[in-house]
Amino acid sequence: MAVIMEMLSYPFLVRALVGGICISLCASLLGVSLVLKRYSMIGDGLSHVSFGALSIAMAFGWAPLAVSIPVVVVAAVLLLRITGNGKIKSDAAIAMISAGSLAIGIIVTSLTTGMTTDVSSYMFGSILAMSKEDVFLSVVLSLVVLGMYVIFYNKVFAVTFDESFAKATGVNVPAYNTIIAVLTAVTIVLGMRMMGAMLISSLVIFPALTSMRVFKSFRGVVISSGVVSVVCFFIGLVLSYMYSIPAGASVVVVNLAAFGVFFLVQMVRQR
Amino acid sequence: MSEILLKCEHVDFGYENYDVVKDVSMEIVPGDYLCIVGANGSGKSTLMKGLLGLLKPTGGTITLSEDLKKSGIGYLPQQTPAQKDFPATVEEVVLSGCLGMRGKRPFYSMNERKIAAANMEKLGITDLKKSCYRDLSGGQKQRALIARALCATDKLLILDEPITGLDPSTTQDFYRLIRHLNRDEHVAVLMVSHDIQNIVTQANKILHLKQTVQFYGPVEEYKKTQYGREFLGGAESWQ
């Protein structure tokens, strides 16, 4: 408790905590749908696109979020389109786009500012990255995601479970896929500055996979993902403060541990 | 009762610049049990996707009855790989069939829950309603998906290669179930299938497709045509 009180006395840690909890909640909710639709790698791909966009924005001195959010949203919609057409397999498309934008980002950076601490913090995350503006955006975003999720919960389920059936019963499937893609894109741009481009996708994938070990209903998995994600983020941040380790990595390791625990529970149950 | 559920007039379907299915005219009225047969690549699946509204026709018109327009069409798709480990209870899956008639309301009403419960009862899966979909057997999964389709509409059921991956006894159970729904619950059935030997004992109408309609009419007549004899591979003469 004392440690937590001590942490809360630093304004930048409070910001990291509030922003991070909001982002982990959004990422985990969207993650359930993405993981089940076999789009797990989309988070990874988008974070690299975001890295590329941020490097370019920095090189030209533009506002980072104003540049990267639209770029990543476009990339997300494009990725879904490519998958829908089926001409290039989606995993290959994601790998191509993610490596491509990472490469562009690195070239732009080395030609202009060089590999500064800012760039390294985008790669591996920095707890100092959360500005007041970011926290505000994260809170607004998480309210939007939560609201959408509650209102469209049944449609999200139908679209995730069986796209063609949903389409045949008159659900506008492409619209819901686009909404999910856009929200994922915004979540990733906001989250990657704290978690790092290399690690942000874990916030999308881990909680859903963890919850699927134990829960048998879609609702159970969704609720559990949200809870697991927020709890893991909190523990990860505390550990990062206590042992002075990078926050992003620490959160991922706690998520990994949670996966291990749920996996054991599943094993014991099946006996 | 002579209301037509679904009617195609000279419909073509295709991708980009070539037509896969040409000039199909057919209709489905209540009580029908129509089976679409044909070799691989004959356009069966394309036609079915078109009837479901997943694909826009490149020519001709498809007319749906008012009821079906409102609720959408209930259908039993082939299993997708994503569904193999999908965490959802049978109840959640069945209830999702009610989505079409719900319109803009975010949650299901008591009435829709009742419809879902009634359909689970009809298919004998009420005691499985809290079970996880991924733990069910092939036959039980089929039943859950049929219950879901019936939630969308109890007028017309469209089935896409339904017996793929079922063992022989489950297959027979499945045909019995569909016949029961067709005769006793008055659900019109449209099935796309390979399983011609069983089909001729089950369906009452056949549509043989090979890009264009080769035959469309009652089963008895189909058996007498050249296509029927070829496709049945002389099964008649054994009996």
Side-chain angles (χ1 to χ4, degrees):
Chain A
M1 268 325 273
V3 178
I4 294 170
M5 289 315 288
E6 193 186 318
M7 279 174 71
L8 291 180
S9 64
Y10 295 101
F12 78 93
L13 275 179
V14 175
R15 284 203 297 271
L17 200 59
V18 174
I21 283 177
C22 290
I23 288 166
S24 1
L25 186 64
C26 296
S28 62
L29 291 182
L30 295 165
V32 174
S33 197
L34 292 175
V35 167
L36 287 170
K37 282 160 79 93
R38 302 285 188 270
Y39 288 160
S40 299
M41 289 317 287
I42 235 176
D44 203 46
L46 292 181
S47 62
H48 290 142
V49 174
S50 179
F51 174 80
L54 281 174
S55 325
I56 293 174
M58 282 206 324
F60 289 95
W62 296 331
L65 286 183
V67 175
S68 51
I69 288 181
V71 170
V72 178
V73 165
V74 169
V77 174
L78 260 180
L79 277 178
L80 280 182
R81 277 285 152 78
I82 293 174
T83 322
N85 283 342
K87 284 202 179 129
I88 306 177
K89 287 269 171 271
S90 64
D91 57 343
I94 292 173
M96 196 177 74
I97 291 183
S98 95
S101 44
L102 194 57
I104 293 171
I106 291 170
I107 289 177
V108 169
T109 317
S110 67
L111 285 180
T112 53
T113 52
M115 289 288 175
T116 59
T117 35
D118 274 353
V119 176
S120 130
S121 84
Y122 284 155
M123 279 302 245
F124 302 108
S126 156
I127 201 154
L128 299 166
M130 276 276 165
S131 67
K132 263 196 186 130
E133 187 188 325
D134 291 346
V135 175
F136 177 72
L137 265 176
S138 318
V139 172
V140 171
L141 170 77
S142 61
L143 287 179
V144 171
V145 171
L146 264 181
M148 294 265 216
Y149 225 82
V150 172
I151 294 172
F152 297 130
Y153 170 79
N154 290 307
K155 293 205 165 115
V156 169
F157 171 80
V159 170
T160 310
F161 182 70
D162 191 339
E163 277 193 14
S164 3
F165 183 87
K167 226 182 217 172
T169 47
V171 176
N172 189 348
V173 172
Y176 288 97
N177 278 336
T178 310
I179 291 178
I180 291 177
V182 169
L183 293 176
T184 310
V186 179
T187 308
I188 283 179
V189 174
L190 287 176
M192 71 163 272
R193 310 215 287 157
M194 182 161 53
M195 294 292 293
M198 312 302 277
L199 299 174
I200 177 72
S201 57
S202 66
L203 282 189
V204 175
I205 303 165
F206 267 108
L209 271 185
T210 303
S211 308
M212 277 164 63
R213 295 310 107 206
V214 170
F215 288 89
K216 284 177 185 278
S217 69
F218 189 71
R219 177 173 308 198
V221 170
V222 167
I223 294 173
S224 152
S225 296
V227 173
V228 165
S229 183
V230 168
V231 169
C232 287
F233 179 82
F234 185 75
I235 296 174
L237 199 64
V238 172
L239 290 180
S240 132
Y241 174 76
M242 283 165 69
Y243 299 104
S244 309
I245 44 179
S250 156
V251 170
V252 174
V253 167
V254 174
N255 265 302
L256 188 62
F259 179 81
V261 171
F262 276 57
F263 187 72
L264 280 181
V265 170
Q266 184 193 26
M267 295 282 277
V268 170
R269 258 204 204 165
Q270 277 171 356
R271 283 284 161 85
Chain B
M1 279 303 279
S2 62
E3 171 210 19
I4 293 168
L5 293 171
L6 189 154
K7 185 173 186 174
C8 293
E9 288 166 293
H10 309 288
V11 176
D12 306 323
F13 290 108
Y15 300 97
E16 281 161 28
N17 33 23
Y18 66 101
D19 280 345
V20 180
V21 178
K22 274 186 222 148
D23 196 27
V24 175
S25 296
M26 55 165 247
E27 59 183 44
I28 299 174
V29 296
D32 268 355
Y33 189 155
L34 170 69
C35 203
I36 301 179
V37 298
N40 285 337
S42 58
K44 288 181 307 216
S45 303
T46 309
L47 175 60
M48 199 206 58
K49 277 187 196 150
L51 296 179
L52 288 166
L54 304 179
L55 210 67
K56 280 217 169 69
T58 45
T61 51
I62 301 178
T63 329
L64 287 180
S65 74
E66 285 304 312
D67 274 355
L68 289 179
K69 257 186 219 156
K70 241 179 271 163
S71 61
I73 299 177
Y75 100 110
L76 180 74
Q78 294 188 32
Q79 304 261 325
T80 64
Q83 287 168 2
K84 284 208 183 96
D85 58 354
F86 203 95
T89 61
V90 170
E91 195 179 20
E92 284 178 315
V93 171
V94 173
L95 205 49
S96 74
C98 292
L99 209 60
M101 63 173 118
R102 211 190 44 181
K104 298 251 180 285
R105 262 183 305 127
F107 303 106
Y108 295 114
S109 66
M110 281 312 286
N111 188 32
E112 282 151 4
R113 286 178 191 280
K114 264 186 213 150
I115 294 174
N119 282 320
M120 283 191 273
E121 190 65 48
K122 220 181 259 177
L123 290 156
I125 49 171
T126 303
D127 46 339
L128 292 172
K129 80 177 185 189
K130 294 286 172 209
S131 313
C132 187
Y133 181 78
R134 64 184 163 199
D135 300 337
L136 302 182
S137 71
Q140 289 167 332
K141 277 184 185 156
Q142 290 280 35
R143 281 170 183 261
L145 294 182
I146 294 173
R148 175 180 70 161
L150 290 177
C151 281
T153 169
D154 52 6
K155 300 271 193 305
L156 172 63
L157 191 58
I158 296 188
L159 308 133
D160 184 10
E161 305 272 1
I163 56 155
T164 314
L166 296 185
D167 61 49
S169 86
T170 320
T171 304
Q172 289 311 320
D173 278 349
F174 174 78
Y175 280 123
R176 258 197 299 279
L177 174 70
I178 296 299
R179 187 140 60 164
H180 162 71
L181 290 173
N182 180 244
R183 285 195 188 152
D184 307 327
E185 310 279 348
H186 310 291
V187 183
V189 175
L190 189 157
M191 187 187 293
V192 173
S193 184
H194 266 13
D195 186 22
I196 188 74
Q197 314 296 0
N198 277 309
I199 287 310
V200 291
T201 66
Q202 301 288 331
N204 55 27
K205 270 178 166 178
I206 298 274
L207 191 155
H208 188 125
L209 195 66
K210 190 177 164 193
Q211 270 68 56
T212 56
V213 176
Q214 308 285 317
F215 174 87
Y216 172 56
V219 172
E220 293 311 313
E221 280 175 36
Y222 179 70
K223 286 183 191 164
K224 291 177 200 141
T225 62
Q226 188 203 339
Y227 296 110
R229 281 204 302 273
E230 270 174 27
F231 220 61
L232 279 164
E236 291 290 277
S237 58
W238 296 357
Q239 283 158 6

